[in-house]
Amino acid sequence: MTPNRRVTFFHSPNTRSTGARILLEELGADYQLHALNMKAGEQRGPAYLAINPMGKVPAIRHGEALITEQVAVFLYLADLYQDAGLAPALDDPLRGPYLRWMVYYGSCFEPAVVDRAQKHPPAAPSTCPYGDFDTMLTTLTSQLAKGPYILGEKFSAADVLWGTALTWTTAFQLVPMSPLIQAYIDRVNARPAAQRVKALDAELAAQHASQIAAKA
């Protein structure tokens, strides 16, 4: 019996859930899109707060399972669609490095970027979850330099996560651009799934803008 792998995907364009939509497309996943107009505040309505009390996207529902938090969504989807080859299997030597770089995003990269963006004074390395910004970024770029992907020759769900994260953070000058990062971003964003979602999200964002204009 073939398991039901259809998921409901809670998404809003031009947010961090864009990466999750790219991953769904990369996986060839069967998903139902539940779009939220965040500019209209739909993410703060009771219906969505019942899904994620944080009012954040992405989120997915698969059967009775509800998954929030970006990295958890990526890990769940890539394992659910293991046959797509974007998550190393448990007995694959790359499984550990894959988990390391997936978790590094939420445990080190994002906290460091937020602190830098909000101009928080640096904490002592002994009390800071990521040590310091420069070490955090050098650790990441040293891994990217081994390329072409974060696991070397193998493209994985981790590259969807990091490709979209670096696209946004460099665009807003939260992370300094370099030839290495630019080449990595270009490599990931040139993939058909990323290009497809770029067009789909532009169309969805235009629809949301029209909805707001119609109510004005």
Side-chain angles (χ1 to χ4, degrees):
M1 182 177 176
T2 303
N4 181 7
R5 298 194 291 181
R6 184 173 176 81
V7 300
T8 301
F9 172 50
F10 300 90
H11 168 66
S12 188
N14 300 321
T15 69
R16 71 184 61 214
S17 70
T18 294
R21 191 174 194 184
I22 293 172
L23 179 60
L24 285 162
E25 293 290 326
E26 286 278 5
L27 294 168
D30 179 12
Y31 70 97
Q32 177 185 2
L33 178 66
H34 186 113
L36 295 160
N37 190 334
M38 295 186 87
K39 296 204 179 288
E42 290 179 357
Q43 76 278 16
R44 295 295 173 188
Y48 188 65
L49 291 178
I51 299 296
N52 186 352
M54 300 294 103
K56 303 286 187 179
V57 289
I60 57 171
R61 188 188 292 281
H62 176 227
E64 297 300 314
L66 176 63
I67 302 93
T68 67
E69 311 317 311
Q70 183 172 216
V71 173
V73 168
F74 271 63
L75 291 171
Y76 190 93
L77 288 173
D79 282 345
L80 181 65
Y81 286 86
Q82 179 69 228
D83 53 310
L86 295 189
L90 289 175
D91 59 352
D92 189 320
L94 287 176
R95 181 70 179 189
Y98 166 74
L99 293 176
R100 175 195 178 189
W101 291 109
M102 292 294 276
V103 174
Y104 190 82
Y105 170 80
S107 64
C108 294
F109 178 81
E110 191 164 281
V113 168
V114 169
D115 278 351
R116 175 66 65 93
Q118 295 184 349
K119 297 181 171 56
H120 293 159
S126 62
T127 62
C128 181
Y130 55 85
D132 65 83
F133 185 92
D134 291 338
T135 301
M136 177 284 297
L137 189 59
T138 298
T139 301
L140 172 62
T141 55
S142 295
Q143 183 68 19
L144 293 179
K146 299 174 184 178
Y149 300 111
I150 204 158
L151 295 181
E153 295 296 325
K154 180 179 177 57
F155 177 82
S156 71
D159 294 297
V160 181
L161 177 68
W162 283 106
T164 52
L166 288 170
T167 296
W168 283 102
T169 54
T170 54
F172 287 99
Q173 299 181 333
L174 302 175
V175 168
M177 182 61 85
S178 69
L180 173 67
I181 291 176
Q182 185 69 70
Y184 178 73
I185 289 172
D186 291 346
R187 198 174 299 124
V188 175
N189 288 342
R191 295 177 65 87
Q195 292 294 309
R196 194 158 57 246
V197 169
K198 182 179 180 180
L200 290 170
D201 266 13
E203 181 180 350
L204 183 56
Q207 291 173 5
H208 285 178
S210 296
Q211 291 169 2
I212 292 173
K215 294 178 180 178

